[in-house]
Amino acid sequence: MSIGSDRRTITYAQAWREILAVRDRLVAAKVAEDGVALLFMPQGWDALAYYFGAIAHGCTASFMPSPSPKQDADLYWASHVKLMARITPAALITTAAHEEQMRRNGLLVENCVMVQAAPITAEDATGAGDQEVAAALMSRRDRLPILQHSSGTTGLKKGVMLSNDAILTQVESYAKAIAATPDDIMVSWLPLYHDMGLVACSLTPMILGQTIVLLDPFEWVARPGTLLEAISRHRGTLCWLPNFAFDHLARSVDISRLDAGLNTMRAFINCSEPCHALTFRRFAQTFAPIGLPETALQVCYAMAETTFAVTQTSTERPPMTVTVDRVSLHEKGLVIPAPTSPDSIELLSAGTPIEGTTVAILSDDGQPVPDGVVGEVSIRSSCLFSGYYRLPEETAQRLNGADYRSRDRGFIWNGELFVLGRMDDLVIVAGRNFHAAEIESVLNGVSGLKPGRNVVFGNINAERGTSDLVVVAETVNTEDAAPASDGYRGLRQSVRHAIFQTLGIYPAEVKLVETGWLIKTTSGKIERGRNAQKFLHEKSQPAAGRV
Amino acid sequence: MTMADDKFQTLCAVIAEELGADKALFGPETTAEDIDGWDSISHASVIMAVERAFSIRFDDEEIYGFANVGAMYDRVRALTAA
């Protein structure tokens, strides 16, 4: 059993010694034992060693994303100040490169210790500390060792509190659902700050004692074929990916130039954004010639609030699909099976609940609806979170005793769950969640746009297999809303720059419009849904003056 | 038009085609910020399309380091001259 990448491979015994060495460092640095440790570290085993070392020390640990190389680091860190004031971490664990930037931008709050995550050497990793105390502390079921943060950088970022009890229950139940064994070999490029990267691809395989192969996310995006080569080289059996990644692989990888076989794979599990049947077909067609087994493409419905998995399809057979009438589904919320045609839509099952979890579909007034009727997915689970860290109101809105209101829309059909998308303003782009309101607040700071007169929404892009982020904003000067003008081009670039620098994502489309374009409610609130419809309607119309 | 101009025009055409954008939008100073739909994921497709078109391979470390289309062109020129 081992953990690592092609660069460094270590055994579990060595991993444990390094975790204890990190714990000793945190003791020496006088990090408060019961505080929150936030880790801003690059992907790899060292990050996991510091993460588990913090937990072994008694901390609640949380991986946080670092700015990408092209983001303005000062702007990025400054946007975290509000978050630090709420969390009041006991330790910021980071690299030398980030440390000075974080200090300069006021992230080091009172009683917080900055810990430089220096590489762990063989001398450090003697495991001389009290191993029994650390092991007992790490596994106490009532502890809250993990804070899993949602996307975003401002005060809207929420920390999902997870107990050991929830984590261990999840691992046990989910392992049964996918028939996981210690012999499985898990290969992942997913970032550790993402719940799928952390829970499915690190915590679960570590608790089960599986072999873990971790790749760098940036390297994977640039060279997607490296994932398949790693699977082939390490004889991988399990891999979790968001839907867009299946499309990215199918579109980008030329199998004639790839030295890889996928015949060892038990499951590629599609998770963390709506899953599309078309995506699976493209992936299967592309990779069947290099040994992709017919039963390997599977679906999981998961979220940080339930530790990870809620439902999972069977790894014994391809997932169920149902083709339904599009209008009935979208306008009436009814599932009416229909033959394949431009008026129908093929939907992919997310499977059945894992052990200890049940799912109900609720109407707008919170009442259960029959099978085949669309409503909100409500979850009752033995692995639910313990609340959002220091956000009692947000916790009360979503967590009702043993029930969690997901804000996802879906339905039950033939005993399986189908998930359609979000009810609220969450936009899921390439597996990452963004609150539209947070992006809109960034737009309010762009000079040349009318503050508060903008709207952001997601638009499904079937080719890319994810949602496109769309921005529509009213300009201060009417001439800047003319697409051919220099003002338009400059302002659009400013919008893309501002969003990327703050959130690390580029919008797919930016439309600048004159004052009065956006539809408002009678109370003056901008209606996201109606404005999205208006945008799509205008986009579908031929340009004036053209046939 | 020189051969170098030809190569630059080909590069712009390949990038524009991959992004579904108007080729006229591209010049040496163009960056991802100027073009709708040019993000880290589509950038990977752009890189692969450029590599295929010119039968070259960029170093993994440089893929996300090009300051603009002109910088990518300089690298393409160096790799094709080799």
Side-chain angles (χ1 to χ4, degrees):
Chain A
M1 291 179 291
S2 61
I3 307 167
S5 64
D6 290 339
R7 298 198 182 107
R8 186 176 177 223
T9 301
I10 60 167
T11 64
Y12 274 98
Q14 175 71 4
W16 178 232
R17 284 195 292 275
E18 295 194 10
I19 289 166
L20 293 173
V22 169
R23 187 197 65 160
D24 291 346
R25 284 188 188 179
L26 300 184
V27 171
K30 297 189 169 51
V31 172
E33 288 174 21
D34 55 353
V36 172
L38 300 180
L39 294 94
F40 295 86
M41 289 181 67
Q43 183 102 331
W45 163 249
D46 277 0
L48 283 168
Y50 273 88
Y51 186 82
F52 289 111
I55 293 171
H57 178 56
C59 288
T60 297
S62 184
F63 277 122
M64 308 290 275
S66 299
S68 76
K70 289 197 170 182
Q71 276 179 290
D72 180 317
D74 283 333
L75 197 64
Y76 181 85
W77 295 119
S79 70
H80 281 72
V81 169
K82 253 194 232 172
L83 193 68
M84 294 301 136
R86 170 152 54 81
I87 298 175
T88 59
L92 297 177
I93 302 177
T94 190
T95 58
H98 292 322
E99 187 179 335
E100 175 49 33
Q101 295 166 352
M102 292 167 81
R103 282 184 196 278
R104 187 166 69 230
N105 286 288
L107 267 65
L108 198 57
V109 294
E110 203 177 344
N111 300 322
C112 179
V113 178
M114 188 75 84
V115 178
Q116 204 181 99
I120 307 149
T121 64
E123 286 149 16
D124 296 328
T126 55
D130 190 336
Q131 300 197 29
E132 284 176 15
V133 171
L137 188 62
M138 286 182 84
S139 57
R140 224 178 60 207
R141 285 186 85 101
D142 62 343
R143 258 195 75 185
L144 290 169
I146 288 179
L147 264 189
Q148 186 61 28
H149 277 95
S150 56
S151 294
T153 54
T154 68
L156 286 171
K157 205 172 183 112
K158 292 184 292 193
V160 172
M161 295 189 287
L162 294 172
S163 68
N164 264 341
D165 192 47
I167 296 163
L168 294 171
T169 304
Q170 164 74 202
V171 170
E172 195 177 322
S173 301
Y174 194 44
K176 282 184 194 165
I178 57 171
T181 75
D183 293 332
D184 273 311
I185 296 168
M186 200 286 313
V187 185
S188 172
W189 60 267
L190 294 163
L192 293 168
Y193 59 78
H194 192 288
D195 59 340
M196 187 156 57
L198 178 68
V199 180
C201 302
S202 300
L203 286 181
T204 300
M206 282 182 79
I207 291 168
L208 296 174
Q210 297 171 342
T211 296
I212 303 170
V213 181
L214 291 180
L215 309 181
D216 181 272
F218 287 109
E219 286 179 20
W220 175 76
V221 171
R223 300 281 185 206
T226 53
L227 176 74
L228 308 183
E229 287 167 346
I231 286 171
S232 186
R233 203 164 40 251
H234 296 277
R235 303 187 61 75
T237 61
L238 295 171
C239 179
W240 281 260
L241 299 170
N243 192 79
F244 91 91
F246 286 86
D247 282 296
H248 188 45
L249 283 160
R251 202 174 46 242
S252 309
V253 175
D254 178 356
I255 58 167
S256 69
R257 299 173 77 176
L258 192 73
D259 181 20
L262 300 178
N263 55 310
T264 57
M265 283 299 291
R266 288 205 306 113
F268 279 102
I269 300 176
N270 192 336
C271 189
S272 92
E273 62 182 335
C275 307
H276 303 297
L278 185 61
T279 295
F280 269 4
R281 264 202 295 281
R282 281 190 202 122
F283 192 86
Q285 279 166 6
T286 307
F287 298 114
I290 58 167
L292 176 73
E294 274 182 27
T295 55
L297 299 184
Q298 298 297 338
V299 180
C300 173
Y301 172 57
M303 62 198 67
E305 286 85 349
T306 57
T307 307
F308 185 64
V310 176
T311 63
Q312 171 66 46
T313 53
S314 167
T315 52
E316 300 287 310
R317 56 182 181 275
M320 182 201 298
T321 62
V322 59
T323 302
V324 304
D325 182 73
R326 191 187 295 270
V327 173
S328 300
L329 183 76
H330 290 314
E331 294 185 7
K332 298 176 190 157
L334 294 176
V335 177
I336 312 283
T340 301
S341 80
D343 298 326
S344 66
I345 180 169
E346 186 184 11
L347 302 169
L348 198 54
S349 166
T352 53
I354 65 169
E355 194 176 274
T357 295
T358 56
V359 166
I361 305 297
L362 305 181
S363 62
D364 289 346
D365 55 5
Q367 298 304 307
V369 297
D371 289 4
V373 175
V374 175
E376 181 180 3
V377 180
S378 177
I379 300 152
R380 182 169 294 185
S381 173
S382 47
C383 16
L384 276 183
F385 70 133
S386 304
Y388 296 115
Y389 188 63
R390 294 185 176 169
L391 292 170
E393 282 179 26
E394 284 81 351
T395 302
Q397 282 167 11
R398 305 290 286 278
L399 194 57
N400 177 19
D403 293 326
Y404 174 69
R405 300 284 291 264
S406 71
R407 308 301 292 155
D408 283 323
R409 290 168 65 250
F411 62 88
I412 306 283
W413 187 255
N414 285 340
E416 300 203 6
L417 176 70
F418 289 73
V419 181
L420 298 170
R422 296 292 300 176
M423 299 174 69
D424 57 17
D425 71 349
L426 199 71
V427 184
I428 307 176
V429 182
R432 295 173 66 194
N433 298 348
F434 298 92
H435 280 282
E438 184 172 21
I439 303 171
E440 286 159 5
S441 74
V442 172
L443 297 173
N444 291 340
V446 175
S447 175
L449 295 183
K450 295 193 87 165
R453 303 288 308 174
N454 52 62
V455 69
V456 167
F457 52 88
N459 182 33
I460 291 173
N461 180 328
E463 196 183 327
R464 279 161 60 93
T466 187
S467 286
D468 281 343
L469 183 67
V470 179
V471 172
V472 183
E474 292 184 356
T475 59
V476 173
N477 299 318
T478 305
E479 53 269 32
D480 289 344
S485 68
D486 288 344
Y488 189 100
R489 280 195 291 275
L491 202 45
R492 198 183 62 165
Q493 189 182 31
S494 300
V495 167
R496 288 173 63 78
H497 180 78
I499 293 175
F500 180 78
Q501 290 302 339
T502 315
L503 297 161
I505 180 182
Y506 280 121
E509 292 190 69
V510 177
K511 183 183 175 78
L512 303 179
V513 293
E514 291 178 21
T515 303
W517 189 98
L518 290 167
I519 303 167
K520 292 184 294 183
T521 62
T522 47
S523 60
K525 193 177 169 213
I526 291 173
E527 293 189 83
R528 191 169 287 114
R530 286 182 65 200
N531 282 301
Q533 281 175 7
K534 183 175 176 182
F535 169 85
L536 294 172
H537 177 73
E538 284 196 1
K539 200 179 166 188
S540 68
Q541 300 302 303
R546 293 172 61 186
V547 178
Chain B
M1 183 180 275
T2 65
M3 281 176 68
D5 288 334
D6 279 347
K7 205 173 271 184
F8 183 74
Q9 293 306 321
T10 304
L11 175 67
C12 292
V14 169
I15 300 171
E17 166 78 21
E18 194 57 40
L19 296 171
D22 184 351
K23 189 181 157 219
L25 295 172
F26 292 84
E29 303 297 322
T30 306
T31 70
E33 257 164 31
D34 302 320
I35 308 294
D36 276 354
W38 197 347
D39 58 20
S40 61
I41 300 161
S42 57
H43 183 68
S45 303
V46 165
I47 289 292
M48 279 175 265
V50 171
E51 289 180 337
R52 265 196 304 271
F54 292 98
S55 299
I56 55 171
R57 187 177 164 95
F58 295 115
D59 293 338
D60 292 356
E61 298 72 31
E62 69 185 342
I63 287 174
Y64 285 98
F66 299 120
N68 51 34
V69 171
M72 192 190 289
Y73 169 64
D74 289 342
R75 190 68 182 129
V76 168
R77 217 167 41 164
L79 288 169
T80 49

